[in-house]
Amino acid sequence: ATASSSGSGFSLKEVLARPKIPCASVLVRALVATRADAPANKAVPQYEDGGYDSSITYPVAVERRLFAHRLSQPGPPVREAMLDLARKTFAPNVLSGMTEGDLERWMAKRLERPEFSNEKPLNYRRSDPYVPDLGFHVAVDGAYRLSKAAFHVAVTSLFPPGTFYSSKASDDVVFTQQPDITSQLQAPRWRDGFHVRQHVQ
């Protein structure tokens, strides 16, 4: 990423305005090292060199609780998990004939980004305990195969009224407000992004 003055549109202000992802941080590298003790033609410093400002990524109290939970339930190393999957995928005589390179290529293929679809359930095996102070994020990105070729708005709420909005919207209702005008009427897309729901018990 580069500074906004270069025309890329990236800025620290924009990053700080984004919703925080618990227990996660993003390392942003400058194209040229800007530390006073580093000449402009020197390669950008490595993270362990201490040349980056990480003050905004200090974990808060809630995140420290989540870190403790994750450390108490460590998952298996990627290689071990993939080898276990290989044992379930290949017959023993096939697996015994595979070289280290064969396994690495097979693992790389399995780790490629999948084609996302609604038919694939979410994996909750590594889910963290729900923390009301952090809440959760909800985003409605689009709809598909709607029956009417008309302008549509998506509605989300935690407690839909019995009349299902026919007479009055509930207090927590959220409407999409940023339609993608290039999308089709019967398959609309929205650019509102995530809406944060906090302190929901």
Side-chain angles (χ1 to χ4, degrees):
T2 57
S4 58
S5 59
S6 66
S8 69
F10 173 82
S11 70
L12 180 60
K13 181 179 180 182
E14 180 183 355
V15 172
L16 297 179
R18 299 281 181 176
K20 187 175 182 179
I21 302 175
C23 302
S25 60
V26 177
L27 173 62
V28 180
R29 292 185 182 275
L31 290 179
V32 178
T34 56
R35 284 175 13 191
D37 59 341
N41 59 352
K42 184 180 178 180
V44 294
Q46 298 298 313
Y47 181 78
E48 57 269 19
D49 293 339
Y52 298 94
D53 178 12
S54 59
S55 59
I56 61 175
T57 63
Y58 292 158
V60 298
V62 171
E63 289 178 309
R64 286 195 289 270
R65 287 165 49 196
L66 290 176
F67 278 130
H69 172 75
R70 290 192 176 187
L71 290 174
S72 67
Q73 299 181 0
V78 173
R79 179 178 175 79
E80 181 181 326
M82 294 300 292
L83 284 176
D84 184 59
L85 180 60
R87 296 186 189 99
K88 297 177 181 178
T89 304
F90 302 105
N93 61 323
V94 175
L95 185 60
S96 62
M98 297 178 68
T99 65
E100 186 75 12
D102 294 333
L103 284 172
E104 289 182 358
R105 284 188 292 272
W106 178 77
M107 286 190 288
K109 185 67 177 177
R110 291 300 300 262
L111 290 173
E112 289 180 357
R113 180 176 178 178
E115 291 294 331
F116 294 107
S117 65
N118 292 335
E119 291 77 18
K120 296 183 179 180
L122 295 175
N123 183 358
Y124 292 105
R125 288 182 297 176
R126 293 299 306 278
S127 296
D128 290 313
Y130 174 65
V131 180
D133 290 343
L134 292 176
F136 55 92
H137 295 64
V138 178
V140 181
D141 296 326
Y144 185 58
R145 297 182 67 179
L146 299 181
S147 59
K148 295 183 179 180
F151 179 78
H152 291 86
V153 173
V155 182
T156 59
S157 69
L158 298 177
F159 307 104
T163 55
F164 205 64
Y165 314 116
S166 63
S167 59
K168 179 183 177 181
S170 59
D171 295 334
D172 70 333
V173 70
V174 176
F175 299 89
T176 52
Q177 301 180 29
Q178 300 183 34
D180 183 349
I181 60 175
T182 64
S183 61
Q184 300 177 10
L185 291 175
Q186 292 178 287
R189 296 190 300 268
W190 298 282
R191 298 179 175 179
D192 298 71
F194 286 105
H195 176 75
V196 183
R197 300 280 190 174
Q198 291 177 296
H199 308 293
V200 178
Q201 300 293 337

